[in-house]
Each structure stands twice: as structure tokens, then as C-alpha cells.
Amino acid sequence: MPQYKLTYFNLRGRAEISRYIFAYSGKKYEDHRIEAADWPKIKPTIPFGKLPVLEVDGVIIHQSLAMARYLAREAGLAGQTPVEQALADAIVDTIDDFMTLFPWGEKNQDVRKKAFDDILTNKAPELLKDLDTFLGDKKWLVGNSVTWADFYWDVCSTTLLSCKPDLADKYPRLLALRERVQALPAIAAWIQKRPKTVM
């Protein structure tokens, strides 16, 4: 079995999707969390200078969604057919496009709050409406079984709801999907034991 090492800050952030997949698959890995104060000296040693990275038997994979897509394929969570895999990728990319709108690194709290409020008020409803339409009355976003797209919705919506708790109140099907993901025994166990972080 490969040796896995996941390196990121002590946050859910862009590494949490990979942690969900590890939890669900039961694969052992090193969850290496670094402190922000140590980042300047670690950064030059990281390919492309960004976190997270995933080491697989010493080979370093960068880009959070490339890492997660690899892990999803290994765990049978990428979709059952090539078309399902493409649809799962498309949903993940759609959610990620939205998440990258936020100025996560903005240090001016007034500027940050204004931007977050604007995105959550004016742009989020369109995304939620489209996701709800795509999900419809299905149990999972893609196909007949859970995929990493369902996990990514849960990971990202957890962060969004911490910013605006009533964000998805008009979309009970999307909230029910979150509940289904969080009820999966391995995911429930991970959520219970993971470090409590702001995002």
C-alpha cells in the first residue's frame, strides 16, 4: 500500500476534500499540519510554493483538486462511468469556481466583510439554484452512489454556512444532501474527531 502524506495548514480549507476521501476509504495517511508562522521557511521547499500538497511514496502532487481527484479514483468515488466522472468533475469545478471568488487572504476586515456579504447575497443564490436543479430528486449529485462531488458540496457548504447560516434555507434538498454525507459512518467519525478550526 502506498505511503501518503498530506501537508496543509491547520485548517479545513483546501485539504478537507482529500481528508474526507481518506476517511471514507479507510486509507492511512499522515495529516501533516503546519503553523502559519512556519510557512515562510517551508514555502521554498514546496513545488510551486503552494499548499496543500500530497506525497504518494515520495512523489509530490500539488493542486488540491488534482490530489482529491486522484484519491477519488483510487477510492471508487470519482463516478462509475467516464460520463459520471466528467459530471462529478464539472460539479466540483463549478463549486470551486464559486469558492475562489472569496478574498480568503484579505487582511482588512472591513474590505473582507463587504466582499463576503456581496458574494453571499448576490452570487450565492444563483449557484444554489443551479445545484438544486442539478440534484433534483436524486439521492446523490451524480449517479446512484456517493461521489467526491457530494463530499465537496458538504466541505464547501460547511464553510459557507459558517459565514451565513441561513444561506441554503430555501434549498432543503441541498441541506438533506449535506445530512446524507455527514451520516456516512466514516465521514461522521472524521467530523467528530477532526481538529476544530475556523475554516
Side-chain angles (χ1 to χ4, degrees):
M1 176 168 305
Q3 296 285 112
Y4 298 105
K5 179 180 179 181
L6 178 63
T7 301
Y8 193 53
F9 302 105
N10 186 27
L11 299 167
R12 297 188 310 274
R14 298 196 69 84
E16 194 67 6
I17 180 62
S18 289
R19 296 185 187 120
Y20 265 48
I21 297 167
F22 274 125
Y24 185 82
S25 68
K27 288 182 179 173
K28 299 274 186 283
Y29 72 107
E30 181 184 346
D31 187 11
H32 181 58
R33 295 171 183 244
I34 67 165
E35 295 304 320
D38 297 327
W39 174 233
K41 70 172 184 271
I42 295 169
K43 184 174 182 177
T45 70
I46 302 290
F48 299 91
K50 290 186 179 169
L51 294 178
V53 293
L54 175 68
E55 289 181 55
V56 183
D57 288 338
V59 176
I60 298 177
I61 303 169
H62 69 290
Q63 285 290 347
S64 60
L65 296 186
M67 294 158 37
R69 190 175 291 112
Y70 158 74
L71 292 172
R73 287 183 187 135
E74 293 287 295
L77 288 165
Q80 299 304 308
T81 67
V83 169
E84 285 188 9
Q85 289 169 13
L87 288 171
D89 287 354
I91 290 295
V92 168
D93 288 344
T94 296
I95 296 170
D96 197 63
D97 284 348
F98 177 76
M99 296 302 287
T100 58
L101 296 175
F102 291 90
W104 300 106
E106 177 58 59
K107 295 195 172 27
N108 182 317
Q109 289 306 306
D110 291 338
V111 172
R112 181 184 166 103
K113 182 181 184 314
K114 188 176 178 199
F116 269 63
D117 288 349
D118 176 56
I119 295 164
L120 291 167
T121 303
N122 298 315
K123 297 192 170 71
E126 184 180 354
L127 171 74
L128 296 176
K129 179 172 164 292
D130 289 344
L131 284 174
D132 182 68
T133 299
F134 186 89
L135 175 62
D137 293 321
K138 303 192 303 285
K139 183 176 182 184
W140 305 109
L141 281 162
V142 176
N144 296 318
S145 56
V146 69
T147 67
W148 73 302
D150 302 298
F151 288 179
Y152 203 57
W153 161 244
D154 185 58
V155 166
C156 293
S157 61
T158 295
T159 299
L160 294 173
L161 291 171
S162 73
C163 299
K164 192 174 190 314
D166 66 349
L167 184 68
D169 283 1
K170 292 180 183 171
Y171 299 97
R173 295 187 297 196
L174 292 177
L175 293 175
L177 175 59
R178 278 172 49 79
E179 290 171 7
R180 283 194 291 279
V181 170
Q182 293 176 16
L184 296 166
I187 299 300
W190 168 246
I191 290 170
Q192 190 65 34
K193 77 171 196 177
R194 70 185 173 189
K196 302 293 179 260
T197 59
V198 290
M199 55 181 221

